[in-house]
Amino acid sequence: MEEKLKGDFTSMSKKKYDTITVEKKDGVAWVTLNIPQRLNAITLKMIKELASAIDELEEDKDVKCVVLKGAGDKAFSVGADVTMFSSATPTKTQTIAIKGQELTRKIELSSKPFIAAINGYCLGGGLEMALACDFRIATENSEFGSPEIRLGIIPGWGATQRLPRIVGLAKAKELVMFGDRISAEEALKIGLINKIVSREKFEEEVEAFVKKLVEGPPIALKYAKHVLNFGSQASLEVGLKVEAEALGLLASTNDAVEGISAFFEKRKPEFKGE
Ligand code: COA
């Protein structure tokens, strides 16, 4: 994808950050974790830069969805940069956990769909970032895991909480308490990822996947994301109430008028996010 995407982006901000790149094209923001020599291990600086980039993208009306990916051909990310822990005090480590949690929460609370495009290792904090995304697409050679237990610690950016919500408590315990890596095939089987694609068609498939989201109704997508996320943590009664209110609100949007008109006129709707 690197080669293909070079030169034809309408907007680039490569110089702005040291640890990530942000490139925008056709309604999609491609955010790349960019420390390939360390397999995109996540530093505090990277967390800060990601948080700042996401805040900016949230305000950008031209950005309809965000894809997170890793630079190089080996990893999405191998997780927190372990060097952070060698000299860390309990308070410093707690700060690292809180900063990472704030970042994953930012992804989850964003009004835009986030897709983790995974090619290679997706471990520790890398997996935790991917878990906060709305969708995970991975190449067949990808591997997933929460290896922190092998270092004598546990995940701190949400895996103990989001993994059970996504794959169930039994599988989450297996991943967190054994720390073994699993294949993309196994990850798909347990519902950890949405789709496996071949390495050769990776970019093409991710682009096709996000195109559907870019063409979708932005306000309805925002509410769908929020109601699904909120409802998975609330009682059924509360979740149903929130769903009904969101639907009521959406019915008053121009996008809903357009969607329904297009249906009757047998044409493709053109949603404007209004
Ligand atoms: N933090 C900092 N550096 C890391 C890292 C991490 N989490 N994971 C890998 N790196 C570095 C390695 O130290 C190595 O650097 P070097 O070339 O200066 O020695 C470089 O990235 C390449 O990693 P390497 O281990 O040589 O690659 P590999 O293909 O043999 O193994 C892994 C890949 C992912 C299996 C292995 O790197 C690993 O187990 N990493 C740790 C994953 C982890 O525990 N994550 C949770 C952290 S809390």
Side-chain angles (χ1 to χ4, degrees):
M1 177 153 51
E2 251 62 315
E3 278 313 305
K4 184 173 168 222
L5 296 180
K6 256 180 217 165
D8 66 353
F9 277 116
T10 51
S11 163
M12 298 183 105
S13 55
K14 276 198 165 165
K15 296 279 175 279
K16 199 166 169 183
Y17 302 109
D18 294 328
T19 64
I20 61 170
T21 62
V22 182
E23 301 159 323
K24 298 178 213 165
K25 189 193 173 199
D26 299 335
V28 183
W30 298 78
V31 178
T32 305
L33 314 185
N34 193 28
I35 314 184
Q37 68 279 17
R38 286 178 100 84
L39 307 182
N40 306 315
I42 301 163
T43 57
L44 271 179
K45 184 172 187 184
M46 187 188 277
I47 291 179
K48 206 169 155 192
E49 293 192 341
L50 280 167
S52 156
I54 292 170
D55 281 343
E56 217 171 281
L57 295 173
E58 186 64 25
E59 298 302 316
D60 189 336
K61 281 206 172 327
D62 293 333
V63 172
K64 306 285 189 239
C65 84
V66 182
V67 177
L68 296 185
K69 67 185 192 79
D73 206 32
K74 273 190 85 177
F76 173 76
S77 169
V78 288
D81 189 315
V82 181
T83 55
M84 284 196 287
F85 299 113
S86 52
S87 61
T89 60
T91 6
K92 215 168 137 194
T93 309
Q94 205 177 14
T95 305
I96 295 170
I98 290 167
K99 292 286 168 206
Q101 287 177 1
E102 284 170 356
L103 174 65
T104 52
R105 198 73 185 122
K106 202 181 271 296
I107 294 171
E108 216 163 40
L109 292 175
S110 165
S111 64
K112 307 179 192 220
F114 270 65
I115 295 94
I118 300 154
N119 176 33
Y121 294 117
C122 180
L123 305 176
L127 176 62
E128 290 175 295
M129 282 227 294
L131 289 174
C133 291
D134 303 297
F135 305 99
R136 289 161 287 282
I137 301 179
T139 55
E140 62 223 331
N141 55 298
S142 297
E143 288 185 31
F144 301 80
S146 287
E148 291 87 345
I149 202 80
R150 292 164 179 240
L151 303 173
I153 54 176
I154 61 167
W157 297 344
T160 64
Q161 304 308 303
R162 290 193 182 93
L163 260 180
R165 287 175 163 88
I166 293 172
V167 302
L169 193 55
K171 278 292 168 195
K173 281 186 177 165
E174 214 176 298
L175 284 161
V176 172
M177 296 170 76
F178 281 82
D180 293 333
R181 296 201 294 268
I182 61 168
S183 65
E185 203 179 321
E186 176 70 7
L188 183 69
K189 207 168 84 189
I190 64 174
L192 183 61
I193 60 174
N194 297 82
K195 192 172 182 168
I196 298 183
V197 293
S198 68
R199 175 65 197 92
E200 297 71 50
K201 290 200 166 169
F202 182 45
E203 291 77 25
E204 216 176 292
E205 296 263 11
V206 175
E207 280 174 13
F209 193 90
V210 298
K211 190 166 185 281
K212 285 188 195 165
L213 294 167
V214 169
E215 288 172 356
I219 310 174
L221 283 169
K222 166 183 155 178
Y223 279 97
K225 169 173 175 165
H226 289 176
V227 173
L228 282 156
N229 280 347
F230 177 82
S232 64
Q233 294 172 62
S235 68
L236 181 64
E237 196 182 353
V238 172
L240 288 172
K241 182 133 182 61
V242 172
E243 180 190 72
E245 287 184 356
L247 174 61
L249 188 147
L250 287 166
S252 69
T253 61
N254 290 340
D255 280 352
V257 174
E258 165 64 6
I260 294 163
S261 308
F263 172 76
F264 286 120
E265 291 161 19
K266 300 189 190 303
R267 62 175 172 82
K268 201 174 163 186
E270 274 184 48
F271 296 116
K272 296 199 170 109
E274 292 167 358

